[in-house]
């Protein structure tokens, strides 16, 4: 998306300005708490434009913090739980232990089907699908596959489902969901999450199924192949059962 390529801090400045505009405009027609809710909703939704956790936090928290510092509205004490609650809805506590909301580049998986061919109608999972950029890249690689996504945050799940109506997107914990029905599981996680992902894949995926990771390798495991994605990122391919490096 074009907005995701905006130079920092332009996304934050635009989100803060729009939140203030909504707040000032709505105060003429609705109670201050309702105006605060609408402005914070915008700021929280715009936080997905941040490329890191601290940038997303700044985008989401900028408006309520500036409102508190300026004392520009008479609000009950409990009203300040509104922005915190919205942040927890979009970024639940367990999501902070998983990958940040980095989008998969559009053509990152364009050569994946050559190295990891799948039968027609194979079920493919994007574990932790976020806003759906990974699903879009997977659709480009496997147009005949049954694409599914798992996302813990229900607002992100709704946005992903709207952006990817051709995929089945569910709200679920990717670590508790069963991976066994899938021929390929795609991840864009943290480096420290990869050992856990490999153990889950080894335990649940059928022989011949694939675990695919953008950018981060599984420690101590030999990949079947590596792809160089546009922009220099590496796509790591692992086929079940995993082959561990001899110590």
């Amino acid at each position: 998306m074009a907005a995701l390529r905006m130079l920092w801090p332009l996304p934050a400045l635009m989100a803060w300005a729009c939140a203030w505009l909504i707040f000032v405009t709505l105060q003429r027609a609705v109670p201050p708490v309702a105006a605060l809710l609408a402005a914070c909703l915008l700021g929280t939704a715009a936080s997905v434009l941040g490329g890191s956790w601290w940038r997303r936090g700044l985008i989401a928290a900028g408006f309520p913090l500036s409102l508190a510092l300026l004392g520009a509205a008479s609000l009950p004490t409990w009203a300040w739980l509104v922005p915190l609650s919205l942040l927890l809805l979009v970024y639940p506590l367990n999501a902070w232990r998983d990958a940040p909301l980095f989008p998969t580049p559009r053509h990152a998986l364009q050569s994946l089907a050559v190295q990891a061919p799948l039968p027609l109608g194979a079920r493919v999972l994007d574990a932790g699908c976020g806003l759906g950029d990974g699903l879009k890249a997977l659709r480009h690689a496997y147009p005949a596959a049954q694409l599914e996504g798992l996302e813990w945050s229900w607002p992100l799940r709704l946005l992903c489902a709207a952006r990817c109506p051709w995929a089945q997107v569910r709200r679920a914990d990717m670590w508790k969901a069963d991976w066994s029905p899938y021929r390929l599981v795609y991840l864009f996680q943290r480096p420290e999450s990869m050992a856990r992902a490999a153990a889950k894949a080894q335990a649940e995926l059928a022989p011949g199924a694939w675990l695919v990771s953008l950018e981060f390798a599984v420690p101590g495991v030999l990949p079947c192949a590596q792809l160089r994605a546009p922009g220099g990122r590496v796509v790591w391919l692992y086929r079940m059962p995993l082959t561990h490096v001899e110590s």
Side-chain angles (χ1 to χ4, degrees):
M1 293 186 297
L4 292 173
R5 296 192 291 269
M6 289 191 297
L7 293 177
W8 182 261
L10 191 56
L13 295 175
M14 292 180 63
W16 298 340
C18 291
W20 268 104
L21 179 62
I22 286 178
F23 179 72
V24 172
T25 302
L26 288 182
Q27 269 197 307
R28 303 170 185 172
V30 300
V33 173
L36 172 68
L37 175 61
C40 289
L41 276 171
L42 174 66
T44 304
S47 69
V48 300
L49 300 178
S52 63
W53 281 112
W54 69 268
R55 288 185 177 183
R56 286 191 288 280
L58 281 177
I59 293 174
F63 165 74
L65 285 177
S66 62
L67 183 65
L69 290 173
L70 292 174
S74 177
L75 295 167
T77 304
W78 60 264
W80 297 104
L81 293 174
V82 170
L84 177 60
S85 300
L86 291 174
L87 274 176
L88 289 176
L89 282 175
V90 177
Y91 305 109
L93 292 177
N94 69 325
W96 291 71
R97 299 192 299 268
D98 295 330
L101 194 63
F102 289 150
T104 298
R106 183 176 180 181
H107 298 296
L109 309 178
Q110 60 186 5
S111 302
L112 182 58
V114 176
Q115 295 291 339
L118 297 177
L120 295 178
R123 294 179 67 181
V124 174
L125 175 68
D126 183 350
C129 55
L131 286 170
D133 294 277
L135 284 171
K136 289 189 173 186
L138 287 168
R139 190 189 190 198
H140 182 74
Y142 300 107
Q146 297 182 49
L147 298 178
E148 302 179 30
L150 298 178
E151 174 55 50
W152 180 253
S153 167
W154 70 261
L156 293 182
R157 181 263 162 193
L158 292 175
L159 289 170
C160 180
R163 295 184 70 211
C164 307
W166 30 263
Q168 180 184 347
V169 182
R170 296 185 289 121
R171 181 185 178 273
D173 186 339
M174 57 176 279
W175 301 113
K176 295 180 180 179
D178 182 12
W179 289 5
S180 62
Y182 302 103
R183 296 296 300 268
L184 184 147
V185 174
Y186 169 72
L187 300 164
F188 189 6
Q189 278 290 307
R190 295 180 183 273
E192 56 268 28
S193 301
M194 292 310 302
R196 184 182 183 187
K200 183 173 176 63
Q202 182 83 310
E204 298 181 10
L205 292 180
W210 296 88
L211 177 69
V212 177
S213 170
L214 177 61
E215 194 157 343
F216 303 119
V218 176
V221 175
L222 290 174
C224 291
Q226 300 176 37
L227 302 176
R228 185 68 60 176
R233 287 174 169 166
V234 177
V235 181
W236 301 85
L237 283 70
Y238 302 90
R239 198 166 196 182
M240 301 302 117
L242 298 174
T243 302
H244 293 270
V245 179
E246 295 183 3
S247 56

